[in-house]
Amino acid sequence: MKKLVMIVFAVFLLSGCIGGEQYLYSGKSESWSMTYKVVESQSGSQQVEGALEYIGAGTAPETIDYSMNSVIRGQSTTNVPVTDDGKVTLQNGSCVDCAIIQEHTKIKVEVIWDGKSETFNLDEEES
């Protein structure tokens, strides 16, 4: 009986984490291309993940600094390693009861590397 109660409780708890909206964003500059995914749950939490890829001329830098800003949220990270094939996995995360990125949110990205800087916008992809 205890197991049944635990299973029912777990299903109830997890049901609040599914069924929400998902938004895909992408954008690029002369040297960088980025994808970003936001998954919102019905329980008011949100998970984000993304990747940057070096598409510029020459060899990719060893590390970058980047920042992402919208009207409701901002984040910046320094000394992020770039793989040999020019890819960067962004600092993924989740939050509960935080400023949720909504549909059609404008997101501005800045990438800084080797004394250079490029800024571009992420646009929401049609689903």
Side-chain angles (χ1 to χ4, degrees):
M1 184 68 170
K2 268 186 167 179
K3 284 186 180 181
L4 179 59
V5 171
M6 292 295 283
I7 290 171
V8 170
F9 179 72
V11 168
F12 177 74
L13 182 66
L14 292 174
S15 68
C17 297
I18 58 175
E21 297 293 325
Q22 176 175 299
Y23 309 114
L24 300 174
Y25 293 87
S26 63
K28 65 181 178 177
S29 64
E30 186 176 321
S31 302
W32 296 95
S33 174
M34 182 176 176
T35 58
Y36 192 64
K37 180 169 81 169
V38 178
V39 179
E40 180 183 339
S41 74
Q42 291 177 339
S43 66
S45 65
Q46 184 175 80
Q47 293 207 297
V48 296
E49 60 185 59
L52 273 162
E53 182 175 4
Y54 183 71
I55 57 173
T59 306
E62 290 183 20
T63 63
I64 64 166
D65 300 341
Y66 73 89
S67 64
M68 297 176 59
N69 294 292
S70 68
V71 172
I72 59 173
R73 182 191 228 172
Q75 77 178 55
S76 62
T77 307
T78 59
N79 294 321
V80 180
V82 179
T83 63
D84 291 338
D85 60 350
K87 296 186 179 177
V88 176
T89 301
L90 302 184
Q91 183 180 24
N92 301 335
S94 61
C95 63
V96 177
D97 295 330
C98 58
I100 301 289
I101 294 176
Q102 301 288 324
E103 185 176 21
H104 308 304
T105 298
K106 304 287 186 208
I107 302 173
K108 184 176 180 180
V109 177
E110 180 181 26
V111 182
I112 301 168
W113 76 104
D114 298 339
K116 301 174 188 169
S117 173
E118 289 183 2
T119 303
F120 57 96
N121 294 315
L122 296 181
D123 296 315
E124 187 175 357
E125 297 179 0
E126 297 294 323
S127 30

